[in-house]
Amino acid sequence: MSSENALANQLPTGLGGQLVKAERWLILTGAGVSADSGVPTFRDAQTGLWARYDAYSLATPAAFAENPALVWDWYQWRRRLIAAAKPNAGHQSIAELAALKPGLTLVTQNVDGLHQRAGSPEVIEFHGNIGRSKCFDCGTVATSIDEPDRRPPVCSICDGLLRPDVVWFGESISLPAIEAAYAAAERSEIFLAVGTSSLVYPAAGLAEVAADAGALIVELNLDQTPMSALADHVLVGPAALWLPTIAACVREAVS
Ligand code: OAD
């Protein structure tokens, strides 16, 4: 019996039917959905060369201003790590669910672009995308990088330094992304949080808005989080195992 079928029988009673019936889903993902692709979660200890740096001390505008080459190198290390990673069954299942449920909205806190590589058509990226670079001074997103070996390269518009197009600590998330995510939460019937510690707002606030809108709240995680108490169902285990089960349950109902 495949792992999907085995787990399909383990979905909490009634959840399968509610998933099949609901059209408007909001899925919020965090680093845990990419952990099964070998991408360290944000609160994992940094490994290897970067073990001595704390991610929180690198992912800030001040850190970049103080030592742009160090911060650029750290992101280049993460970019190489992510380029070597592949979307896992969890990412692929979310992409399949988007095809099965046209009313599905996907919000991710991840910057790795693995949802897009798995085929998810629309991804609201709360924290940007490590694959893009933008100018630290004028904010222009770089479409090409003239001197890729410079650390960091410079902006082709204003000669400012390029930085990763991700949200750093102390920076705000794009308003359109927040508005789209909260609008989806207000009309959601299913809210599924996958692999997030639910510690960082405004992403962590979406569950409460969905719950107030009467959505069924489902948390998929290895551990308890501050959101667990709000959840109607908590699926404990790896995202790469549970998400194919959820996709199989919906697929079987529509086929
Ligand atoms: P965290 O590293 O805070 O949390 C990862 C969550 O995924 C934890 O709750 C783990 O238990 C869970 N997890 C780990 N492996 C899993 C697996 N295989 N299957 C399911 N769950 C798993 O990452 P985020 O919650 O994404 O913000 O962190 C949110 C934000 O905090 C990040 O986007 C970052 C950080 O500040 C910015 O960079 C602006």
Side-chain angles (χ1 to χ4, degrees):
M1 178 182 276
S2 77
S3 57
E4 291 160 22
N5 296 342
L7 276 174
N9 299 330
Q10 294 168 21
L11 277 178
T13 308
L15 176 57
Q18 289 168 300
L19 294 173
V20 167
K21 198 167 60 196
E23 287 309 317
R24 296 187 306 279
W25 292 37
L26 174 54
I27 298 180
L28 169 67
T29 64
V33 78
S34 296
D36 295 311
S37 294
V39 179
T41 64
F42 214 88
R43 285 164 177 80
D44 273 351
Q46 294 293 337
T47 56
L49 172 66
W50 299 95
R52 64 179 181 279
Y53 292 105
D54 170 5
Y56 296 93
S57 64
L58 290 171
T60 71
F64 184 81
E66 186 184 331
N67 193 335
L70 174 68
V71 174
W72 179 262
D73 288 350
W74 179 57
Y75 276 91
Q76 288 296 89
W77 171 73
R78 289 178 64 190
R79 283 171 167 159
R80 283 190 294 275
L81 195 78
I82 287 164
K86 290 186 176 43
N88 62 58
H91 297 107
Q92 287 154 359
S93 298
I94 289 175
E96 181 184 7
L97 284 164
L100 294 169
K101 294 286 180 185
L104 184 147
T105 299
L106 172 60
V107 177
T108 189
Q109 301 168 92
N110 301 336
V111 298
D112 57 34
L114 288 175
H115 284 303
Q116 291 92 326
R117 284 171 56 191
S120 283
E122 285 175 49
V123 185
I124 298 176
E125 294 178 313
F126 255 29
H127 296 155
N129 188 310
I130 201 170
R132 287 191 304 267
S133 297
K134 69 179 181 183
C135 179
F136 188 64
D137 292 340
C138 72
T140 305
V141 174
T143 50
S144 64
I145 295 183
D146 300 336
E147 298 174 85
D149 296 334
R150 279 187 65 164
R151 300 163 49 237
V154 298
C155 171
S156 58
I157 307 293
C158 76
D159 269 346
L161 297 179
L162 292 186
R163 52 162 286 184
D165 186 12
V166 298
V167 174
W168 278 337
F169 295 106
E171 293 185 320
S172 53
I173 294 168
S174 91
L175 200 53
I178 293 178
E179 286 169 347
Y182 273 76
E186 284 161 2
R187 62 173 183 268
S188 61
E189 296 170 283
I190 296 281
F191 178 87
L192 173 59
V194 181
T196 179
S197 55
S198 292
L199 293 170
V200 174
Y201 284 75
L206 290 168
E208 291 146 24
V209 171
D212 290 347
L216 186 79
I217 308 299
V218 184
E219 181 177 52
L220 197 177
N221 203 306
L222 300 180
D223 298 327
Q224 294 285 313
T225 75
M227 186 204 134
S228 302
L230 187 66
D232 298 295
H233 297 291
V234 177
L235 304 176
V236 181
L241 211 54
W242 276 117
L243 286 169
T245 295
I246 290 170
C249 178
V250 173
R251 183 191 323 127
E252 280 158 17
V254 300
S255 51

